[in-house]
Amino acid sequence: MANPEHIETLDLVDKISVIGYRLGLSLFSVSLAWYCIIGFVESSWGQLPSTFQFNPASLFIVATLLSAGNLHVYDKNVRSIIMWSGWLGIALFSFLINSHFEWVAYGFIFVAFSGIALKESFCFRVFGLKLIPLLLFLTTLFMAIRLWTLSLGLIAICTLIFSYLTVQKWKMPLHFDIGNKSNYQI
């Protein structure tokens, strides 16, 4: 996690991992927005024609691969929980996509991004991040019981918070994400 007072010298791999992590956050924001737009359009006007359909699951998968795969957290147990919940969500998508249980895969990916939001809230003061775990939990619950309007409303709120986080992250120097390399548990 970041330590703004410490300026670590970054090599090429460090820079690529921070950029990958931030791209994952950006893509997660886009994924949430796309899910929300598709959901509201289909609930208002009915199913979109097949030429316009694009399942947001693939965006969530790539966002999770980028963010969970390039996570910078000192504690290996916390890092493992966040990463493995993301990997499990990705694996579950291959079995549950377009089924009534797709919400389970989303739930695990939301656990990963809830952990990322909490991690970021401890490092940086970004408004609303501490609410993300609750909002994503409720979103998953509403997906499971098919309360789509409530689910989409919560996703819209999460989109705003993660979009704000993404903008703030891209403004920060890259070394903020790495912190002190000597503090990482391997």
Side-chain angles (χ1 to χ4, degrees), residues 16-155:
I16 290 171
S17 72
V18 171
I19 290 169
Y21 173 76
R22 291 180 181 185
L23 283 173
L25 290 178
S26 301
L27 190 55
F28 185 68
S29 299
V30 169
S31 305
L32 290 169
W34 183 252
Y35 190 98
C36 205
I37 290 167
I38 292 298
F40 280 125
V41 167
E42 288 185 348
S43 67
S44 299
W45 296 322
Q47 187 76 20
L48 288 173
S50 60
T51 54
F52 291 103
Q53 287 184 353
F54 178 73
N55 191 333
S58 55
L59 293 175
F60 282 104
I61 288 169
V62 175
T64 304
L65 286 170
L66 286 168
S67 289
N70 294 297
L71 189 62
H72 305 100
V73 176
Y74 293 147
D75 187 280
K76 67 181 177 183
N77 295 320
V78 173
R79 187 172 57 241
S80 294
I81 290 168
I82 294 171
M83 289 172 56
W84 280 101
S85 63
W87 303 146
L88 186 55
I90 290 168
L92 286 171
F93 266 122
S94 33
F95 299 109
L96 302 175
I97 194 101
N98 295 324
S99 76
H100 291 293
F101 298 102
E102 190 177 49
W103 62 269
V104 176
Y106 278 108
F108 278 101
I109 285 181
F110 290 167
V111 167
F113 279 96
S114 291
I116 289 170
L118 286 177
K119 171 240 188 228
E120 292 296 339
S121 73
F122 290 122
C123 296
F124 307 106
R125 292 187 190 117
V126 174
F127 177 76
L129 279 179
K130 290 184 180 175
L131 292 174
I132 289 291
L134 175 64
L135 296 174
L136 290 177
F137 167 76
L138 291 172
T139 298
T140 307
L141 176 66
F142 294 149
M143 285 176 161
I145 59 177
R146 306 211 166 293
L147 291 175
W148 297 114
T149 305
L150 292 174
S151 180
L152 292 172
L154 292 175
I155 288 174

Side-chain angles (χ1 to χ4, degrees), residues 6-25:
H6 179 81
I7 299 176
E8 188 70 55
T9 303
L10 304 181
D11 59 20
L12 182 62
V13 173
D14 294 330
K15 291 176 184 176
I16 290 171
S17 72
V18 171
I19 290 169
Y21 173 76
R22 291 180 181 185
L23 283 173
L25 290 178

